[in-house]
Amino acid sequence: MESENILEAKQVSVAFRIAGKFQKAIYDIDLRLRRGEVLAIVGESGSGKSTIGKTIVGLEQMTSGQLIYKGQDVSKKKIRNQLKYNKDVQMIFQDAFSSLNPRKTIYDIIAEPIRNFEKIDANTENKRIHELLDIVGLPKQALEQYPFQFSGGQQQRIGIARVVATNPKLIVADEPVSALDLSVQAQV
Ligand SMILES: Nc1ncnc2c1ncn2[C@@H]1O[C@H](COP(=O)(O)OP(=O)(O)OP(=O)(O)O)[C@@H](O)[C@H]1O
Ligand SMILES: [Mg+2]
């Protein structure tokens, strides 16, 4: 089972409507990721790295192609649900701040995926959120605060805590440290 493919993209294209015309942002992408493997996508600005990531987690629609997760086509919602795809495949966004709901406290932001995907009681949830905060190196008082009260590096950590909250099987990390200074990059 060690070399089992966890994710395959086959001929995936995504087009955006720009000034009334459809323009392809990514064109016939193929990729294969095995369990335990790290796959890095490198390319110049605007080449489509974020788009492929968002497409994998379902935030952009494919114009054509297939996404195969654990051997099954996850373009079908029913299969996505069966495989718990939305719980197990998570993304750390390039722009941490805009991915955090400005009206929610850090507590509620980190709790959201847990509440969506797991049924646990308030005490267990509370313990879990404190552990996650600890893992990403933020102080307890952060929990009552709002995203704008944090630095870019801290916002990135909040995004990471939220992503690992449900123990995903696959994480799409979209330049999770490129906006941070070098010492913070090393920590994150
Ligand atoms: N929502 C959108 N609507 C229209 N065009 C978009 C949208 N998102 C991305 N694009 C376009 O798709 C192309 C790929 O963008 P994408 O953000 O995937 O690039 P990237 O490789 O992540 O770049 P960077 O290194 O700057 O983060 C760009 O030409 C961009 O303008
Ligand atoms: Mg990008």
Side-chain angles (χ1 to χ4, degrees):
M1 293 293 270
E2 234 148 52
S3 63
E4 178 193 349
N5 288 333
I6 185 155
L7 185 81
E8 270 182 283
K10 292 184 175 170
Q11 311 259 295
V12 170
S13 298
V14 176
F16 293 111
R17 203 189 168 103
I18 299 160
K21 286 192 196 132
F22 280 101
Q23 284 179 24
K24 280 190 173 158
I26 56 174
Y27 183 72
D28 281 357
I29 297 279
D30 286 300
L31 62 82
R32 193 177 62 194
L33 184 67
R34 294 190 180 88
R35 190 180 294 277
E37 208 173 50
V38 175
L39 173 73
I41 298 176
V42 181
E44 63 189 46
S45 188
S47 60
K49 305 180 294 295
S50 295
T51 302
I52 183 76
K54 288 178 191 166
T55 307
I56 288 170
V57 299
L59 289 173
E60 298 291 2
Q61 294 292 316
M62 289 185 278
T63 322
S64 58
Q66 273 187 317
L67 271 181
I68 312 288
Y69 178 70
K70 294 180 171 174
Q72 289 190 268
D73 184 345
V74 287
S75 11
K76 300 181 182 82
K77 202 175 168 197
K78 199 176 148 197
I79 292 180
R80 236 172 229 260
N81 291 342
Q82 273 168 15
L83 292 175
K84 299 199 181 79
Y85 189 82
N86 295 343
K87 168 176 185 274
D88 283 348
V89 181
Q90 293 287 330
M91 181 160 179
I92 302 168
F93 293 94
Q94 183 167 10
D95 179 355
F97 181 64
S98 67
S99 78
L100 304 173
N101 187 331
R103 290 185 197 84
K104 283 192 171 175
T105 62
I106 304 314
Y107 189 100
D108 284 334
I109 287 172
I110 300 175
E112 193 173 19
I114 300 173
R115 290 171 186 162
N116 280 345
F117 297 119
E118 288 172 35
K119 287 184 178 64
I120 57 175
D121 60 79
N123 270 337
T124 319
E125 178 190 285
N126 194 274
K127 225 181 108 199
R128 179 88 152 271
I129 287 168
H130 280 85
E131 279 165 14
L132 288 161
L133 203 72
D134 205 44
I135 292 171
V136 298
L138 287 173
K140 251 212 298 284
Q141 59 266 30
L143 292 173
E144 280 79 55
Q145 295 180 291
Y146 292 86
F148 75 89
Q149 295 173 291
F150 295 88
S151 70
Q154 290 170 327
Q155 287 161 1
Q156 202 59 270
R157 289 159 201 259
I158 295 161
I160 291 169
R162 176 178 60 180
V163 152
V164 298
T166 52
N167 295 313
K169 304 274 190 291
L170 193 157
I171 297 175
V172 178
D174 190 5
E175 309 201 32
V177 297
S178 63
L180 313 180
D181 68 42
L182 284 177
S183 62
V184 183
Q185 277 190 18
Q187 280 176 27
V188 172

